[in-house]
Amino acid sequence: LGDPWPDDGTAPMSVALNRISAETGALFVVAAGNTGPSEESIGTPASADAALTVGAVDREDELAEFSSRGPRWVNGAIKPDITAPGVDIVAAKAAQGVIGTPAGEGYVSLSGTSMAAPHVAGAAAILAQRHPEWTAEALKATLMSSAKANPELSVFEQGSGRVDVAAAVATSVTAFPASLSVGTVQWPHGDDEPIASTLTYRNTGTSPVTLDLVADLRGPDGEAAPEGMFTLSTDRVTVPAGGSAEAILTTDTTVEAPDGIYSGTVLATAGETTVRTPVAVNREVESYDVTLRFLGKDGNPTPDYWFRFVSLTSPKAYLPYDESGTVVARLPKGEYYLEATTFDPTDRSSSDVIEPRFSVTGPTEETLDPRQAKPIGMSVRDPDARPGEAVASYEMTTEWGSTGVTAIMPNFDGVTTRPSRTTAPGAFRFVLEASLAEPDGTEEGSEFHASPYLYHAQHTDDSGRVPDDVWPRLTDDQFARVVSRHAVATPGKIGVRDSMLTMPLPFTLTEYYTPDVQWWPNFTEAAEWNEFPPSGLGSFTATPKTYRLGKATEERWNVGVFGPGVAYDGGYGSFGRLGDELVVNVGLHSDGNLGREGRSSDATGTTELLLDGEVVAESEYPGYVITEVGPERATYTARTTATQPGPLSTRVDAEWTFSSGHVAGEDPAPIPALAMRFSPNLDDHNAAKAGKRFRFPVHVQRNGAERPGRVNPPRVEVSYDDGQTWRQARLSRDRDHWVAEVNHPRDAEFVSLRSSVSDRDGNTLKQTILHAYALS
């Protein structure tokens, strides 16, 4: 329950936490988040003032790499407040739990700040049990005051330090407030006023305690703060039994010192007792007010806007908001990427302003007026062509990484952008992309039914700015041409290309692709144009396609054999593992194109994962199961069945055997399971001629690899009576694949295929496809 996006403590959840804390006296112990190691990575509700926000350390009290850290976004407040062990923590496993590394019967091991927070909640409960009259503030302050600090970590990484339950229970002295976030003192600093902060020490013991006070703070360069910057009103206080005493910490930012954040601790010691109070102040670097005025299309100020300044030298963003339409952003001197949008809720139009290199060297004002923007779009040879999907991208490369925004829309209607006034050659590019076809002219029904063409257009401007011309006009000689034939697989269905163009089947489509660009075309069957999700067979591109200018190429869609298939996608593919989580996710109705995977949304079935003949996981989804397994390397069997109305691939049975062991790191690894694909040259109704000798390619694939590597010769069998009898097909090798030869009887209606393959490592596949293709 929360949001990892950096927050300044004003998000609704943080505000609610503060309110509920005040109303009920409850102490909320909140995990800091797992978005480290970047600064300002505390989200909500961890950002709430009243929360006791917990970061994670390991068994050596070293900060966990994943632990979110401060300072808090925008205002520089100290967060997290405390740390606790959060790396490889063993805890009880939920009965149906699927996450974590097994750690004995009924237990798992996990890492995260959510494993650290319960340690602190438990410590707070112990204190509350001993002191039921204590407030949430007292519980929080006592835990923080008594924490054990790591001298190598800043207060923005650890707060006051790692929770120490024994010290919290034993201490009688607590400092209030639990931390001092002095805030930001604006540049320049010659006329800064001293800031006095009161520290109150309370003694719940029966004897007075005398504390020696020291302020230990360091600047942005790691050096000790200069003399006179932080001054305590006294270096010793005596706190009476059952009473309190005060000390004043004065912060003077007029002293000669580097600009930046100063942080550290006020230490109060008495013998073996140490009371810590984290302290931070931002002596602002040279910064200026940048005033933005947002106007609507009527020329009046509008509250309907969004913007952000992103530093080009560090991963920091600035995005304040003011409902008046005039907003002031306080920015350090430097260069920024500006991204802004105004909206018109009446017609749902929008207007963008992008400045790749916005320089801040003094107070600056900028008016963002949508009347200065131009409509964006794309045109092709046919003036009637309209986009069914549109994309506009502003892509910026900075010194620290990439930023920008991509908008995915049904079309470009109502979208405008202002040509940039600044440039960043080599760092910024403006990209438009669209799929365009001929509308069918109907107000209801498919907008692009039976269009004879489909354009896949991408236009990139590398000038370093949003250009003056944001409506490129493209000619056919700029495209690679592809003739796509779409076959009938399920009678009564229509075809849907790229979730946009619908077509009667069979159907031939002329496509135009911007060359040398990766594309991911797809196809699905549907009962009607607006069916969602579409029913029937579907194929999607897993290995992206790149087309070149020149002679037109031909592609076929919805042509069998529809069966289990994997396609190399550069990732873990259809069989993968991370840690001890094993995933099987196979498209059981992939077509004959090796770069695609496919499924039937009408299919029903089951999937099982077995170890030593025992079922360790099962699901009611054909081709899919996910589960936690033991870390040791073992041989598994995945078994699945899928049935569908047909008439093709009415039943698919497959069984894989493979070995798998623990996968360390953060990236899933592919399991080298095998697949077999058949690519016969069928007609547009997925049929071959009866009474004829027939040859077709047989391909072996390996999950997670571009090529299968060394495998044993496969076996293919054919049946013409729906699997009642089988006969072996003749196989011959042809370079990187095999060719099967069969003799179709004159009176058969369908061909079923049974096949198997193995390799020297023990990976095997057995599969059966009933009604693999038709005969006519």
Side-chain angles (χ1 to χ4, degrees):
L1 183 65
D3 186 347
W5 185 262
D7 177 56
D8 61 357
T10 63
M13 288 188 66
S14 294
V15 172
L17 187 151
N18 291 335
R19 175 180 56 79
I20 297 170
S21 297
E23 292 174 354
T24 67
L27 173 63
F28 285 85
V29 181
V30 181
N34 303 320
T35 55
S38 60
E39 297 179 354
E40 297 185 346
S41 58
I42 301 291
T44 182
S47 59
D49 289 329
L52 179 51
T53 303
V54 186
V57 294
D58 61 19
R59 285 168 168 77
E60 285 71 46
D61 286 344
E62 297 294 331
L63 189 69
E65 183 181 6
F66 57 77
S67 187
S68 296
R69 57 208 73 185
R72 190 168 68 183
W73 187 57
V74 176
N75 49 43
I78 296 171
K79 286 288 179 178
D81 300 303
I82 202 168
T83 61
V87 177
D88 296 331
I89 304 302
V90 174
K93 177 184 180 296
Q96 304 301 321
V98 296
I99 62 173
T101 301
E105 185 67 27
Y107 292 89
V108 293
S109 173
L110 284 167
S111 297
T113 54
S114 342
M115 300 306 285
H119 289 90
V120 177
I126 290 172
L127 281 181
Q129 186 179 38
R130 293 195 174 216
H131 305 280
E133 76 283 1
W134 279 14
T135 63
E137 181 188 21
L139 296 173
K140 175 179 176 178
T142 301
L143 290 170
M144 291 179 63
S145 294
S146 59
K148 180 182 178 181
N150 182 337
E152 302 300 319
L153 300 177
S154 74
V155 297
F156 299 119
E157 295 170 313
Q158 66 176 341
S160 57
R162 191 257 296 146
V163 65
D164 187 333
V165 185
V169 169
T171 189
S172 60
V173 179
T174 300
F176 296 84
S179 63
L180 279 176
S181 295
V182 179
T184 298
V185 183
Q186 284 197 354
W187 183 91
H189 300 291
D191 58 352
D192 292 348
E193 294 290 334
I195 301 171
S197 303
T198 300
L199 281 170
T200 300
Y201 295 93
R202 296 180 188 173
N203 180 5
T204 60
T206 58
S207 302
V209 177
T210 299
L211 300 171
D212 294 318
L213 307 181
V214 175
D216 180 15
L217 287 96
R218 297 186 175 273
D221 54 6
E223 299 296 324
E227 186 176 352
M229 191 171 188
F230 299 96
T231 307
L232 285 163
S233 59
T234 178
D235 58 7
R236 178 172 292 180
V237 295
T238 297
V239 190
S244 62
E246 294 182 348
I248 307 297
L249 177 68
T250 300
T251 303
D252 184 358
T253 50
T254 62
V255 301
E256 188 67 27
D259 293 333
I261 294 176
Y262 287 77
S263 63
T265 310
V266 172
L267 296 174
T269 58
E272 295 183 357
T273 299
T274 300
V275 179
R276 293 178 176 83
T277 304
V279 180
V281 64
N282 182 8
R283 187 180 194 267
E284 187 183 58
V285 300
E286 183 178 354
S287 301
Y288 299 96
D289 288 342
V290 177
T291 302
L292 299 180
R293 294 185 175 87
F294 290 89
L295 304 181
K297 289 190 293 187
D298 58 3
N300 295 319
T302 178
D304 300 310
Y305 69 90
W306 183 90
F307 83 97
R308 64 177 182 143
F309 282 105
V310 180
S311 171
L312 297 186
T313 57
S314 61
K316 292 187 176 182
Y318 305 81
L319 50 154
Y321 175 81
D322 191 292
E323 192 173 8
S324 69
T326 298
V327 62
V328 178
R330 182 76 175 174
L331 302 182
K333 180 181 178 181
E335 293 188 322
Y336 297 84
Y337 164 77
L338 169 62
E339 184 180 279
T341 302
T342 55
F343 311 94
D344 189 326
T346 59
D347 60 7
R348 298 186 178 182
S349 62
S350 63
S351 179
D352 298 330
V353 171
I354 304 292
E355 293 301 338
R357 195 176 293 277
F358 190 102
S359 295
V360 176
T361 56
T364 307
E365 296 185 0
E366 177 86 7
T367 298
L368 294 92
D369 188 343
R371 295 171 297 180
Q372 298 171 345
K374 297 181 178 181
I376 65 174
M378 305 179 80
S379 297
V380 294
R381 170 183 52 82
D382 189 336
D384 294 328
R386 295 290 181 269
E389 182 179 86
V391 179
S393 294
Y394 307 98
E395 303 171 4
M396 182 70 193
T397 301
T398 71
E399 293 182 17
W400 53 266
S402 299
T403 188
V405 64
T406 296
I408 301 175
M409 308 160 282
N411 51 59
F412 295 112
D413 294 353
V415 181
T416 62
T417 190
R418 189 185 79 179
S420 300
R421 299 169 182 174
T422 63
T423 61
F428 175 82
R429 68 177 195 164
F430 173 62
V431 182
L432 293 177
E433 187 175 309
S435 298
L436 303 100
E438 182 177 294
D440 57 25
T442 60
E443 294 185 5
E444 294 186 2
S446 172
E447 186 177 357
F448 301 101
H449 185 67
S451 171
Y453 61 80
L454 178 60
Y455 284 86
H456 310 267
Q458 186 184 100
H459 175 77
T460 301
D461 187 289
D462 290 315
S463 64
R465 60 187 291 268
V466 177
D468 293 331
D469 183 4
V470 291
W471 194 295
R473 291 154 181 83
L474 307 175
T475 57
D476 282 358
D477 60 3
Q478 296 175 271
F479 291 96
R481 190 163 68 93
V482 177
V483 177
S484 297
R485 294 169 53 199
H486 303 76
V488 175
T490 309
K493 302 280 188 179
I494 62 172
V496 183
R497 271 299 309 276
D498 300 341
S499 305
M500 169 188 165
L501 188 156
T502 59
M503 59 189 75
L505 295 174
F507 188 85
T508 299
L509 179 68
T510 301
E511 298 185 79
Y512 299 88
Y513 288 88
T514 297
D516 305 319
V517 172
Q518 289 188 338
W519 298 98
W520 286 265
N522 63 79
F523 169 89
T524 58
E525 293 181 333
E528 53 188 4
W529 73 270
N530 62 347
E531 183 182 38
F532 185 83
S535 62
L537 296 165
S539 298
F540 62 90
T541 300
T543 305
K545 295 285 294 184
T546 301
Y547 303 95
R548 300 190 181 280
L549 290 176
K551 185 179 178 180
T553 58
E554 181 176 304
E555 289 192 347
R556 301 195 69 192
W557 290 87
N558 210 32
V559 179
V561 171
F562 300 100
V566 300
Y568 181 69
D569 60 1
Y572 70 82
S574 301
F575 297 79
R577 181 162 175 168
L578 176 59
D580 294 319
E581 183 179 78
L582 194 153
V583 178
V584 176
N585 189 14
V586 188
L588 296 182
H589 295 87
S590 303
D591 67 13
N593 187 302
L594 302 188
R596 301 180 191 142
E597 287 191 58
R599 303 175 190 274
S600 169
S601 50
D602 289 337
T604 58
T606 59
T607 304
E608 297 177 332
L609 185 70
L610 298 91
L611 174 63
D612 297 329
E614 297 290 332
V615 175
V616 295
E618 56 187 333
S619 81
E620 297 180 356
Y621 301 97
Y624 176 81
V625 68
I626 178 172
T627 189
E628 289 282 333
V629 295
E632 64 280 353
R633 188 165 191 83
T635 299
Y636 296 90
T637 298
R639 186 181 295 155
T640 188
T641 295
T643 60
Q644 65 154 4
L648 298 177
S649 298
T650 53
R651 182 181 175 98
V652 175
D653 294 291
E655 181 179 291
W656 294 267
T657 300
F658 53 83
S659 296
S660 175
H662 179 82
V663 174
E666 298 180 357
D667 298 319
I671 293 170
L674 298 172
M676 288 184 69
R677 305 278 283 269
F678 309 102
S679 306
N681 184 19
L682 304 175
D683 65 19
D684 284 350
H685 288 78
N686 273 285
K689 290 293 184 182
K692 298 286 185 179
R693 179 176 296 179
F694 191 58
R695 292 165 56 89
F696 57 87
V698 177
H699 298 272
V700 176
Q701 295 180 293
R702 188 178 300 277
N703 183 66
E706 291 187 78
R707 295 176 178 84
R710 299 185 67 178
V711 297
N712 298 319
R715 178 183 176 90
V716 177
E717 296 174 279
V718 61
S719 172
Y720 302 104
D721 54 11
D722 295 346
Q724 296 183 50
T725 59
W726 296 92
R727 66 187 70 174
Q728 187 171 349
R730 179 182 176 186
L731 281 184
S732 59
R733 189 69 186 256
D734 185 0
R735 292 170 294 182
D736 62 348
H737 64 280
W738 283 265
V739 175
E741 184 176 303
V742 296
N743 290 296
H744 294 152
R746 293 183 179 277
D747 57 350
E749 296 183 8
F750 291 96
V751 177
S752 298
L753 296 173
R754 186 167 71 180
S755 60
S756 61
V757 68
S758 63
D759 65 13
R760 297 179 181 180
D761 296 324
N763 297 295
T764 68
L765 165 67
K766 301 175 184 178
Q767 66 181 25
T768 302
I769 305 171
L770 298 185
H771 286 205
Y773 59 91
L775 294 177
S776 63

